Amino acid sequence: MKSIESILFEDYQVEPAALMEVAGRSVAEQVVSLANPKTVGVVAGKGNNGGDALTCARFLLDRGINVKVFSLESSVRLTYLLDEGAVVCKDIKQLQDCDVLVDGLFGYGFRPPAGEAYATLINEMNALSLPVVSIDMPSGLPAEGMVEEPIVQAELTVFLGLPKVNAVTGLGLMRSGRFVLDGLGYGRFLESHAESLAYSIESTDAEKIMASGIAMPYHKREAGLVSVVAGSEHFPGAALLVVKTLLLMGAGLVYIKSDQHVEELVISEFPQVVRGDGPGAKVIGPGLEDVSLALSMAATDFPKVIDAGGLRSEVLEHAKNAVITPHEGEAARLLNTSVEEVRRNRYNAAKRLYERFGHVVLLKGPGTIIYDGQRWLVIPINEPRLATGGTGDVLSGLIGFFLSRGMTLADAAVSAAYLHAKCASEFSTGLNLNKFIERIAESWWAHYDR
Ligand SMILES: NC(=O)C1=CN([C@@H]2O[C@H](COP(=O)(O)OP(=O)(O)OC[C@H]3O[C@@H](n4cnc5c(N)ncnc54)[C@H](O)[C@@H]3O)[C@@H](O)[C@H]2O)[C@@H](O)CC1
Ligand SMILES: [K+]
């Protein structure tokens, strides 16, 4: 099978050097709009990522910006820069007085591990504490496979051609900072020829999937039936959060099955909720301590989401037709491994969970991953506000709601994870969960006005 590059370069006679010109110019524009700098430090490695960096430096010099270069190799590109007044630095620390750092050390050609000398270089770049614009990917991050520190911490990463698989989730997403994608004029071609099974979900993709959940119900049964098995003496609020999410999203009828105290609490807050187990989609596990309740509900054919207290091997082995929603700690426990191991390769962890239990997996964390047995769907949002208690209950409620609207397990998980992350990122403070649920519901109901 020919690589995408060789199709471009051989069949369509695209010149690699021409692509480098487009890439270098694009990065220079991003650098200027990020910081309007007087002096830019440019770190260039030995490969084409370094070539992009030196090309970027030329565009910066041409705009009258001072450039200091730390280059691992001499080349004609470097000679030109020197002739035009760039300063060569032999030590990274000499870049300290720059306004921005351009990171062109490694791109997708990097193969870990970095080795001692390169690891030191990356640590020294981070120690400068300058805003960094990384070219294609933050250096030290491999395009796919195991992720290890050290990795350059970028403020902005300019993805060239396509977003790289490891840059849209976990540590890679955190190190990439904000990102922009430049298709270099071949974005659509690259997207249609990409062979990766990991897809980064853009807002337009998510909106299209969500639209299939819009219902114009004639009767409450058509608006979605959901049974909630959640809450316990210690975590009664989890049941309230799930139920509130379902009601505000517009579920037709909601049932609650829990211990007596939780059921009474939910009914006193939301009198329209029915006690017991009903037909339709199920939300099993938020705040749940009584595993026997989860066990008895998990084996039904109804589509369901299983979270938190339901994420036990005995429940999952028994369950049918489910999305499971572990965070990295729960994933590690279910896989009998460490959190560090899960974090090093989140794609692989999601796949292993699917292979072990046979359910669609939603692995939480920066850049939530959904794996459906064939593809990884990634929500490329790093939202620290979601790393707080109770947000997982809201997510489970959302998945249950979309399942009740007849969506597939994977579509419901993608819709919920997208809406959840998008609405969290609209807050300017930490999350007030009641307001968070209201914001999500408003965003959802806005679809009805279009
Ligand atoms: N092919 C394309 O379509 C385009 C590629 N471009 C740039 O080219 C980059 C890829 O370039 P390359 O394939 O030359 O690779 P890179 O520039 O990413 O880095 C590879 C260099 O680092 C070395 N290296 C890899 N792992 C190492 C390790 N662990 N320790 C020490 N040295 C290591 C390699 O031997 C090679 O010299 C992209 O990320 C992008 O920036 C752009 O110029 C635009 C178009
Ligand atoms: K880079």
Side-chain angles (χ1 to χ4, degrees):
M1 188 74 89
K2 264 184 163 180
S3 72
I4 312 183
E5 283 91 355
S6 60
I7 298 175
L8 262 187
F9 297 157
E10 290 163 26
D11 298 3
Y12 294 109
Q13 297 186 6
V14 174
E15 291 290 338
L19 279 186
M20 196 173 275
E21 287 296 309
V22 183
R25 182 177 198 145
S26 168
V27 176
E29 278 165 10
Q30 293 294 338
V31 169
V32 171
S33 65
L34 178 77
N36 199 17
K38 283 204 177 73
T39 308
V40 176
V42 174
V43 179
K46 294 179 179 174
N48 287 331
N49 199 250
D52 290 349
L54 298 178
T55 307
C56 163
R58 201 187 79 231
F59 281 103
L60 292 170
L61 270 182
D62 204 41
R63 281 180 172 242
I65 295 168
N66 300 320
V67 171
K68 292 173 104 175
V69 191
F70 177 92
S71 179
L72 291 176
E73 225 164 47
S74 48
S75 62
V76 179
R77 281 196 183 86
L78 184 64
T79 309
Y80 176 88
L81 294 179
L82 300 186
D83 290 349
E84 289 304 307
V87 175
V88 165
C89 299
K90 294 282 171 218
D91 187 339
I92 285 282
K93 294 187 190 75
Q94 291 171 275
L95 303 177
Q96 183 71 70
D97 60 350
C98 296
D99 303 308
V100 190
L101 198 65
V102 171
D103 158 33
L105 186 59
F106 294 121
Y108 67 58
F110 173 69
R111 301 283 174 272
E116 211 179 314
Y118 282 103
T120 304
L121 197 54
I122 291 171
N123 285 326
E124 284 176 348
M125 287 168 73
N126 284 338
L128 293 174
S129 297
L130 293 173
V132 174
V133 176
S134 283
I135 304 179
D136 209 16
M137 36 205 318
S139 296
L141 181 71
E144 44 189 35
M146 297 265 272
V147 176
E148 301 269 6
E149 295 276 27
I151 300 168
V152 166
Q153 177 62 59
E155 178 157 331
L156 176 74
T157 298
V158 185
F159 293 153
L160 300 175
L162 284 170
K164 309 301 177 290
V165 167
N166 268 343
V168 291
T169 192
L171 193 56
L173 180 63
M174 293 176 74
R175 293 286 172 266
S176 296
R178 274 190 308 117
F179 54 78
V180 289
L181 172 63
D182 189 332
L184 308 177
Y186 298 93
R188 283 170 53 172
F189 168 86
L190 294 171
E191 210 173 295
S192 61
H193 285 73
E195 280 164 20
S196 168
L197 295 175
Y199 296 91
S200 180
I201 301 282
E202 306 295 325
S203 55
T204 45
D205 304 324
E207 294 289 341
K208 212 186 281 174
I209 297 171
M210 268 197 292
S212 72
I214 295 175
M216 288 297 173
Y218 200 85
H219 184 274
K220 61 189 177 232
R221 293 190 180 277
E222 293 165 19
L225 306 180
V226 188
S227 295
V228 177
V229 186
S232 58
E233 192 190 340
H234 291 109
F235 308 107
L240 287 172
L241 290 170
V242 174
V243 168
K244 177 165 182 170
T245 303
L246 287 164
L247 292 174
L248 264 57
M249 289 296 283
L253 200 52
V254 176
Y255 299 81
I256 176 77
K257 181 135 182 81
S258 187
D259 66 30
Q260 190 180 349
H261 160 73
V262 173
E263 289 185 3
E264 279 164 8
L265 181 72
V266 168
I267 308 278
S268 69
E269 187 77 14
F270 304 108
Q272 67 269 57
V273 173
V274 182
R275 281 174 87 158
D277 174 25
K282 301 199 187 302
V283 178
I284 301 176
L288 191 73
E289 291 179 307
D290 179 355
V291 184
S292 66
L293 269 182
L295 268 172
S296 68
M297 307 276 282
T300 59
D301 287 327
F302 294 113
K304 57 187 71 68
V305 49
I306 305 181
D307 184 33
L311 294 174
R312 311 270 292 247
S313 296
E314 65 268 35
V315 176
L316 302 188
E317 279 162 4
H318 196 64
K320 282 193 222 154
N321 206 8
V323 183
I324 62 175
T325 57
H327 54 58
E328 289 177 349
E330 288 160 338
R333 182 169 49 70
L334 289 167
L335 290 170
N336 209 3
T337 180
S338 65
V339 175
E340 292 70 32
E341 195 57 36
V342 170
R343 199 163 284 179
R344 269 196 282 272
N345 196 333
R346 287 168 48 81
Y347 291 97
N348 190 40
K351 183 163 182 268
R352 283 173 60 203
L353 282 168
Y354 179 89
E355 286 165 356
R356 167 82 173 81
F357 298 107
H359 304 303
V360 170
V361 177
L362 180 152
L363 179 60
K364 293 172 189 169
T368 289
I369 295 177
I370 291 108
Y371 183 71
D372 68 357
Q374 283 170 337
R375 319 163 290 173
W376 290 271
L377 304 163
V378 187
I379 314 292
I381 302 178
N382 172 26
E383 184 36 72
R385 290 175 186 85
L386 292 179
T388 52
T391 57
D393 307 332
V394 177
L395 180 69
S396 293
L398 289 173
I399 298 175
F401 170 73
F402 286 121
L403 289 175
S404 80
R405 290 287 170 97
M407 281 192 191
T408 63
L409 297 168
D411 280 357
V414 166
S415 302
Y418 166 76
L419 196 58
H420 194 246
K422 178 189 87 106
C423 291
S425 65
E426 287 165 8
F427 277 75
S428 53
T429 61
L431 295 179
N432 167 326
L433 286 182
N434 281 316
K435 288 201 177 128
F436 180 40
I437 296 170
E438 283 155 22
R439 173 82 61 106
I440 290 171
E442 279 162 13
S443 176
W444 166 246
W445 280 93
H447 287 87
Y448 284 80
D449 300 333
R450 284 179 195 154

